[in-house]
């Protein structure tokens, strides 16, 4: 190998290393930029009242205190709101996965009259704004006696056409030969659904579960219509109450924001592998 060729290769490697370092520096700079508001929120939640309302903002305050968290946990219903929100988000997500996967399985693996009509209705429901259904939906929930009940929030969330549509698209691409081979081995339709289709569909189920959990955790419009007493409120409604109550207590209100976002942060840490897998799945399927 000539000296010119070796120098050329070293130059290419050097340029590639420089570009890699530059890309990583840029990405870390952007990440830090996005983290600044959250870091300031944490800092403000730990500041005493006199420092928090001062005209000079402090990213690193001269004094820290946990008084905001102590007062928030002992003087408000925020823990009850967190529990209510967790119940709503978890139950709705589980029911969506069960119900929507069964509907998608019946549309792709079973033959029964009216399949195309039902699929058309499901796809057409995407074009109907949610606000159009508020009055008839509230009337139905009221007739069932579910006003100010968490089940009044959960049950309408289960009727989600997005989950059916996503699972229908995925189940349709699973080869029919899997089901035919299973039937030769004596599998019933439910066994094919539970022991073959669902394990194969783990990526799309993970993506749908994450989306539905976050969506129901942050849901505001429907809970504010159904829930009519503070003990049954979810976190988004409770944060509005705290904002109006503690208008001149920025440290306490930021502490409530930390508590409200902490469960989702923990969920991300626990399920980060599934989240990455779901993102990769979405990227490969377009």
């Amino acid at each position: 190998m000539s000296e010119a060729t070796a120098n050329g290769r070293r130059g290419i490697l050097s340029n590639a290393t420089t570009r890699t370092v530059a890309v990583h520096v840029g990405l870390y700079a952007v990440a830090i930029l996005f983290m600044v508001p959250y870091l300031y929120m944490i800092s403000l939640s730990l500041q005493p009242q006199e420092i928090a309302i001062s005209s000079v903002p402090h990213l690193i305050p001269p004094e820290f205190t946990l008084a905001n968290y102590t007062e928030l946990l002992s003087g408000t219903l925020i823990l009850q709101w967190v529990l209510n929100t967790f119940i709503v988000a978890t139950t709705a997500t589980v029911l969506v996965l069960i119900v929507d996967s069964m509907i998608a399985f019946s549309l792709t693996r079973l033959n029964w009259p009216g399949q195309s009509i039902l699929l058309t209705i499901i796809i057409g429901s995407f074009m109907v704004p949610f606000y159009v259904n508020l009055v008839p939906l509230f009337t139905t929930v009221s007739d069932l006696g579910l006003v100010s009940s968490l089940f009044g929030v959960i049950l309408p969330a289960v009727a989600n056409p997005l989950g059916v549509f996503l699972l229908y698209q995925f189940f349709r691409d699973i080869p029919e030969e899997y089901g035919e081979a299973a039937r030769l081995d004596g599998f019933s339709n439910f066994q094919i659904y539970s022991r073959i289709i669902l394990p194969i569909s783990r990526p799309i189920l993970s993506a749908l579960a994450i989306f539905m959990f976050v969506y129901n955790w942050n849901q505001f419009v429907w809970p504010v219509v159904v829930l009519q007493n503070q003990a049954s409120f979810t976190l988004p409604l409770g944060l509005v109450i705290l904002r109006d109550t503690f208008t001149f207590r920025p440290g306490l209100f930021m502490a409530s924001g930390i508590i409200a976002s902490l469960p989702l942060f923990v969920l991300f840490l626990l399920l980060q592998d599934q989240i990455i897998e779901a993102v990769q799945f979405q990227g490969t399927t377009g």
Side-chain angles (χ1 to χ4, degrees), residues 40 44 47-56 58 68 249-251:
Y40 184 65
L44 196 59
Q47 295 178 16
Q49 174 69 3
E50 59 274 9
I51 298 178
I53 62 176
S54 65
S55 57
V56 180
H58 295 84
N68 292 320
R249 301 287 302 278

Side-chain angles (χ1 to χ4, degrees), residues 96-97 100 162-163 166-167 203-213:
V96 164
L97 292 180
D100 289 6
L162 176 63
L166 290 177
L167 295 175
I204 185 62
L205 291 173
S206 299
L208 180 61
I210 293 167
F211 175 80
M212 293 306 303
F213 187 90

Side-chain angles (χ1 to χ4, degrees), residues 62-265:
E63 182 181 351
F64 293 93
T65 180
L66 294 176
N68 292 320
Y69 290 94
T70 303
E71 182 178 351
L72 186 66
L73 295 175
S74 61
T76 68
L77 295 173
I78 191 167
L79 291 181
Q80 180 65 45
W81 297 336
V82 170
L83 178 61
N84 293 343
T85 310
F86 182 79
I87 292 173
V88 168
T90 303
T91 307
T93 300
V94 172
L95 290 178
V96 164
L97 292 180
I98 295 174
V99 174
D100 289 6
S101 62
M102 287 184 174
I103 295 174
F105 177 80
S106 68
L107 290 172
T108 55
R109 290 295 184 270
L110 304 179
N111 293 317
W112 46 275
Q115 281 180 305
S116 59
I117 297 176
L118 178 61
L119 182 61
T120 302
I121 294 174
I122 292 173
I123 296 176
S125 64
F126 282 105
M127 301 181 184
V128 180
F130 174 74
Y131 304 99
V132 175
N133 297 324
L134 276 179
V135 174
L137 196 58
F138 178 79
T139 303
T140 303
V141 170
S142 178
D143 292 340
L144 293 174
L146 297 178
V147 175
S148 293
S149 169
L150 295 182
F151 287 105
V153 181
I154 294 171
L155 292 181
V158 178
N160 193 300
L162 176 63
V164 177
F165 181 74
L166 290 177
L167 295 175
Y168 171 83
Q169 295 292 328
F170 189 89
F171 289 0
R172 188 180 60 177
D173 294 334
I174 297 176
E176 292 280 356
E177 288 76 10
Y178 292 169
E180 294 174 359
R183 285 190 176 89
L184 291 176
D185 290 337
F187 277 41
S188 65
N189 287 327
F190 183 77
Q191 288 175 320
I192 294 173
Y193 160 77
S194 60
R195 299 174 62 179
I196 296 179
I197 300 298
L198 291 186
I200 294 176
S201 306
R202 184 171 173 268
I204 185 62
L205 291 173
S206 299
L208 180 61
I210 293 167
F211 175 80
M212 293 306 303
F213 187 90
V214 174
Y215 171 79
N216 286 286
W217 185 275
N218 296 322
Q219 192 177 183
F220 180 82
V221 175
W222 179 240
V224 82
V225 173
V226 176
L227 304 177
Q228 299 180 358
N229 63 77
Q230 290 193 14
S232 64
F233 279 4
T234 55
L235 262 176
L237 276 65
L239 292 179
V240 174
I241 297 295
L242 294 179
R243 183 198 62 187
D244 297 337
T245 305
F246 302 106
T247 304
F248 301 103
R249 301 287 302 278
L252 194 145
F253 184 63
M254 291 301 172
S256 68
I258 295 294
I259 294 176
S261 58
L262 187 61
L264 289 181
F265 179 71

